[in-house]
Amino acid sequence: MIKEALAATVLVLATTAVPASAAPADEYTYQLLGKAAADECFAGIGVPYPSRPPCTEGQPKVNQSYVWGLTRVGDQVWFGTGANVHCLTSGGSLGEDTPVVNDDYVCEYGESQIADKYPTVPDELGDVRPPQFWLYDAATGALTNESGALTGDDLTRLRNTLGLRSAGNLNGVVLFAGPSLSNTLNVFAFDASTRQFLGSQTLALYSNARTFLVAEESLYLGVGTGLGGGRGGAVLRWIGTRAAPFLFDKVADLPTQAADLAYLDGHLYATTWSSTDATTTAQLGGVWKSPVLPIRAWQTHQWTQVFDASRYETDPLIRTTYGFGGVAAYGGYLYWGSMHVPLQATLVHQATYPQPTDDLVKLQARNTQRGLSIWRGKDLGTPNQKIELLYGESALPAYDPTTSTWSAPATGWTPLYGRSGFNNVLNNYTWRMTVAGDRLFVGTMDWSYLVHDLLPQAPPTDPALWGSDLWVFTSTTAPAQPINTIGQGNYLNYGIRNMAPDGDDLYLGMANPMNLRADPTDDIPEGGWELIKLNRS
């Protein structure tokens, strides 16, 4: 019943979304620098995998789906991947474990050969594959897979890593961090000068990591604790060297996992996701401000929450599903945006408040969908604090369990520039923000293409909506402009997972989990991660 209701909801969402026209073509040019290749042959759910591509049996499959961590060191662009992340998310976050296959992707869950071979792998994570380390050299144009440098315990640790979710560098050391199957955090290090692998280590106290940030000549990492990072969070400062690359000091204790980090006017800011037991305002996703840098050991509990989901979301239960992601300092403001896992709020609502009729289930599904919102603030955490909603809603549906009715209370905000999702509610993630030159770039996840796979009953969405969006603020006094809203040349690219500036230009790390789209001879683009260079004319 829930999927039929969501199918009807998507029709409403799709008809209210507004395709955006691209910015003038001569402002930006794209260069595809690298693309994931097919690395497995698929012959059916639960069927042993045939030999590797080229496939004499089955069909080619590309597992490596996300550029999940990305960092630039001069002419070097280092990135770490995540494999089949859509399957891992639908399994780990949405509780799916029933295998699914369609023209675009397959999720085998507990019937995969990995789950069969390794019984400790949970069914919902059965599509895990070892992530990879890649290096693009802009001086030579060479793209190399550096994963072969790992042996022994380091290789075992990599195989136990769900994905290399974050990457950063300082003082010639490149660091990658990612969650493990053991609910810990694995960290890997390379020497940027020699490209030598320096080793790896497991941080047992943490379980997730999303972003590294350099501020005032120090490198910081936002982390989570508990299953999937859902219990709490912290911010770590790297104090390592080439000889000892895995030394960190904790500079923040947070009640929610840290997502992205930014620096403004002597302070760090962390966006966070709601804890899995988000029953209080302090556990809701939001924005936290640090003491003035450098942060002393006794100041780890002195971070201030300057914004949270309760300031905007009208439904108390939906608030608990909010995450906040991309964040950046621009023009004296802090900009940030929200993130909404597709269908999560609906499933949580349905589990808490089951509805007795099909029509009421459809109403519940429609009223629980949220598109990303974009915010900015100045003088945060002070008596002069000013926060503005740039893209969002002036009213949102809220459920009253005492009367079993929905209403549309005012959020208390009037959006300055437009509605949720840059006027497309199917834009659900503010995945990354970064400043390149004099402009602020915002990369999204857009789940419109997933609709026909997740919800076959839904009518097709407008192809002009398919694919991730890249938007740019050219000043603090004008709305964002679309650069590209159809996947940056491949509409299967449903998200811009990472961005790294290079002067006025930008490296884009794409998210594309369509693992069965691996036939270059058909008229459909291919799945798997892409590394793209955006050049500003």
Side-chain angles (χ1 to χ4, degrees):
M1 183 186 295
I2 187 70
K3 287 195 173 182
E4 287 77 4
L6 286 168
T9 299
V10 167
L11 174 61
V12 176
L13 299 180
T15 55
T16 58
V18 180
S21 58
D26 58 356
E27 281 197 43
Y28 299 96
T29 59
Y30 284 91
Q31 182 182 4
L32 180 63
L33 305 177
K35 173 74 175 171
D39 55 354
E40 198 170 272
C41 299
F42 173 71
I45 291 174
V47 177
Y49 307 130
S51 59
R52 296 173 65 86
C55 301
T56 56
E57 298 178 58
Q59 66 183 103
K61 180 187 178 193
V62 52
N63 288 297
Q64 302 297 325
S65 58
Y66 281 26
V67 173
W68 223 0
L70 176 70
T71 188
R72 186 177 70 87
V73 190
D75 286 334
Q76 298 180 2
V77 180
W78 292 80
F79 61 97
T81 69
N84 299 321
V85 181
H86 172 62
C87 301
L88 302 184
T89 300
S90 59
S93 297
L94 300 179
E96 292 283 350
D97 59 9
T98 301
V100 59
V101 62
N102 52 55
D103 291 338
D104 290 312
Y105 64 85
V106 57
C107 296
E108 294 186 89
Y109 301 117
E111 294 189 31
S112 76
Q113 298 301 295
I114 299 300
D116 182 65
K117 184 176 180 180
Y118 301 102
T120 57
V121 175
D123 286 355
E124 64 269 19
L125 301 179
D127 295 278
V128 66
R129 301 292 189 275
Q132 298 173 347
F133 304 96
W134 286 84
L135 172 59
Y136 173 75
D137 189 330
T140 64
L143 180 67
T144 56
N145 185 344
E146 302 292 327
S147 310
L150 279 68
T151 60
D153 290 344
D154 298 312
L155 181 57
T156 299
R157 185 171 283 115
L158 182 66
R159 289 171 175 168
N160 189 46
T161 303
L162 286 168
L164 299 166
R165 201 167 195 172
S166 54
N169 75 88
L170 187 68
N171 299 333
V173 177
V174 178
L175 295 170
F176 295 90
S180 79
L181 283 162
S182 307
N183 203 32
T184 55
L185 183 64
N186 291 336
V187 185
F188 304 83
F190 287 83
D191 186 311
S193 177
T194 66
R195 304 183 181 183
Q196 177 185 0
F197 177 65
L198 299 177
S200 66
Q201 190 170 105
T202 297
L203 304 184
L205 295 178
Y206 308 106
S207 59
N208 204 4
R210 293 176 184 271
T211 304
F212 282 93
L213 173 76
V214 174
E216 295 191 5
E217 301 182 348
S218 290
L219 179 65
Y220 296 90
L221 174 64
V223 299
T225 62
L227 181 63
R231 190 179 68 202
V235 178
L236 310 179
R237 179 175 60 221
W238 184 64
I239 56 172
T241 63
R242 283 184 176 86
F246 305 111
L247 300 177
F248 293 87
D249 272 345
K250 184 166 64 173
V251 297
D253 267 310
L254 301 174
T256 55
Q257 65 170 312
D260 282 9
L261 302 173
Y263 170 79
L264 176 64
D265 295 338
H267 299 269
L268 295 179
Y269 290 86
T271 53
T272 66
W273 281 55
S274 298
S275 297
T276 53
D277 58 349
T279 56
T280 70
T281 297
Q283 292 172 313
L284 294 176
V287 181
W288 291 76
K289 177 183 179 180
S290 79
V292 174
L293 299 186
I295 304 168
R296 312 300 182 186
W298 50 270
Q299 294 179 303
T300 58
H301 291 280
Q302 295 188 4
W303 288 57
T304 303
Q305 190 176 48
V306 298
F307 183 83
D308 68 78
S310 71
R311 296 281 304 273
Y312 172 64
E313 175 57 54
T314 60
D315 186 278
L317 188 56
I318 297 176
R319 287 174 194 162
T320 68
T321 68
Y322 268 60
F324 289 89
V327 60
Y330 178 65
Y333 289 90
L334 188 79
Y335 286 71
W336 68 91
S338 65
M339 303 180 75
H340 309 272
V341 176
L343 312 185
Q344 185 179 42
T346 299
L347 294 174
V348 169
H349 228 276
Q350 176 69 15
T352 307
Y353 303 121
Q355 300 296 299
T357 69
D358 288 354
D359 285 344
L360 289 176
V361 170
K362 292 177 181 179
L363 181 64
Q364 182 184 50
R366 182 167 66 250
N367 285 338
T368 51
Q369 302 309 299
R370 299 291 186 264
L372 66 86
S373 53
I374 301 292
W375 303 80
R376 72 178 179 191
K378 183 176 283 191
D379 298 322
L380 295 170
T382 74
N384 298 320
Q385 173 171 297
K386 177 184 178 182
I387 294 177
E388 295 174 296
L389 174 63
L390 304 185
Y391 291 89
E393 305 298 326
S394 57
L396 286 169
Y399 185 70
D400 184 347
T402 63
T403 61
S404 300
T405 59
W406 290 89
S407 60
T411 63
W413 303 88
T414 299
L416 190 60
Y417 297 134
R419 300 193 65 182
S420 299
F422 295 105
N423 300 310
N424 174 9
V425 72
L426 296 172
N427 265 326
N428 59 301
Y429 276 12
T430 311
W431 228 338
R432 188 65 73 188
M433 291 186 180
T434 196
V435 174
D438 59 353
R439 299 183 173 190
L440 171 65
F441 294 84
V442 182
T444 79
M445 174 187 171
D446 179 335
W447 68 292
S448 56
Y449 185 79
L450 284 177
V451 166
H452 71 286
D453 289 328
L454 288 171
L455 309 169
Q457 306 90 339
T461 56
D462 186 344
L465 297 171
W466 291 351
S468 58
D469 289 15
L470 181 62
W471 291 75
V472 62
F473 288 95
T474 59
S475 74
T476 60
T477 59
Q481 300 175 12
I483 296 175
N484 185 286
T485 61
I486 51 174
Q488 328 308 307
N490 180 347
Y491 60 75
L492 299 185
N493 290 333
Y494 72 3
I496 300 173
R497 180 59 184 86
N498 269 296
M499 297 189 286
D502 182 9
D504 287 337
D505 303 330
L506 202 60
Y507 290 97
L508 306 175
M510 309 303 294
N512 181 337
M514 310 304 170
N515 55 27
L516 294 184
R517 290 298 186 187
D519 182 358
T521 65
D522 63 19
D523 59 356
I524 305 295
E526 279 66 64
W529 62 256
E530 293 183 356
L531 180 68
I532 295 172
K533 180 72 177 295
L534 179 74
N535 299 293
R536 180 178 168 188
S537 302

